[in-house]
């Protein structure tokens, strides 16, 4: 009985570490191409492909309208968007529970969200385990983060590269030539 209880406790304690380590294997690899054909909150700069956003930081986040942790994380995304929109960050939210545009719009409007949500397009990103799931693509086009949470710090660090490069005059308008 004691052994079973100890084993069960060990499994429960180790499960988050095991699930946190699970990825799609995209980390450290070039991002796959993607294209947003139509968005709720269209990007003002009209940058909607990997090539458009080259030299800047990209957050691709998978979420669901009925996912509590997803909805709770929206304020974090909005904070990043408010701080870095037009300064090196592009956000592409992807609703992955199959809800329609009306349901997505309702969530965005009720929460005052202003970052883009892809309604139509080609995004070959699949999460691992539960939602939300995020990918951060660095200035060189490589996936530098893949997971459920903890992406804000990665974005903050990578944005410094955009700013450093822009101030050094290497990027015209933040985009690598």
């Amino acid at each position: 009985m004691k052994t079973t209880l100890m084993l069960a406790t060990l499994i429960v304690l180790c499960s988050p570490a095991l699930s946190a380590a699970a990825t799609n294997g995209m980390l450290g690899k070039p991002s796959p191409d993607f294209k947003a054909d139509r968005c709720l909150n269209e990007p003002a700069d009209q940058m909607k492909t990997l090539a458009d956003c080259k030299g800047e930081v990209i957050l691709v986040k998978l979420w669901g309208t009925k996912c509590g942790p997803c909805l709770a994380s929206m304020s974090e995304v909005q904070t990043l968007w408010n701080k870095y929109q037009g300064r090196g960050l592009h956000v592409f939210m992807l609703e992955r529970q199959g809800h329609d545009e009306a349901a997505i719009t309702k969530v965005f409007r009720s929460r005052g969200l202003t970052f883009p949500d892809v309604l139509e397009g080609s995004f070959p990103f699949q999460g691992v385990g539960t939602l939300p799931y995020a990918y951060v693509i660095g200035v060189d086009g490589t996936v530098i983060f893949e997971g459920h949470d903890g992406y804000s710090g990665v974005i903050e660090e990578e944005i410094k590269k955009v700013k450093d490069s822009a101030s050094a005059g290497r990027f015209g308008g933040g985009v690598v030539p």
Side-chain angles (χ1 to χ4, degrees):
M1 179 72 165
K2 274 187 172 181
T3 304
T4 304
L5 183 57
M6 285 176 39
L7 185 57
T9 302
L10 185 59
I11 289 171
V12 168
L13 291 175
C14 292
S15 293
L18 292 173
S19 64
T23 67
N24 272 337
M26 293 175 71
L27 192 61
K29 296 180 180 172
S31 172
D33 285 333
F34 61 81
K35 182 180 181 194
D37 294 319
R38 191 168 70 88
C39 298
L40 174 64
N41 300 331
E42 289 282 344
D45 58 13
Q46 292 303 305
M47 293 183 166
K48 300 198 281 186
T49 68
L50 177 63
D52 290 344
C53 300
K54 187 167 175 67
E56 298 191 350
V57 182
I58 304 163
L59 170 63
V60 176
K61 187 155 182 191
L62 314 180
W63 72 287
T65 62
K66 301 293 183 190
C67 166
C70 299
L71 298 175
S73 73
M74 293 296 202
S75 62
E76 178 181 21
V77 176
Q78 187 64 52
T79 298
L80 288 165
W81 183 245
N82 291 345
K83 189 172 182 179
Y84 296 118
Q85 173 198 7
R87 294 187 202 114
L89 177 65
H90 300 274
V91 173
F92 297 99
M93 299 294 285
L94 306 167
E95 203 282 340
R96 292 296 199 217
Q97 290 181 322
H99 292 94
D100 63 13
E101 185 174 343
I104 294 167
T105 300
K106 182 179 178 182
V107 168
F108 268 63
R109 298 297 177 251
S110 70
R111 294 172 176 269
L113 304 174
T114 60
F115 47 81
D117 183 86
V118 178
L119 298 172
E120 295 173 13
S122 172
F123 279 76
F125 296 90
Q126 301 298 318
V128 174
T130 60
L131 295 173
Y133 201 83
Y135 296 90
V136 176
I137 302 164
V139 297
D140 66 353
T142 300
V143 176
I144 59 172
F145 175 89
E146 178 183 353
H148 294 284
D149 56 26
Y151 52 85
S152 288
V154 173
I155 289 172
E156 296 272 350
E157 283 301 310
E158 195 69 5
I159 284 288
K160 290 177 186 174
K161 293 179 184 177
V162 174
K163 289 180 179 181
D164 292 345
S165 295
S167 64
R170 289 186 286 176
F171 295 165
V175 179
V176 175

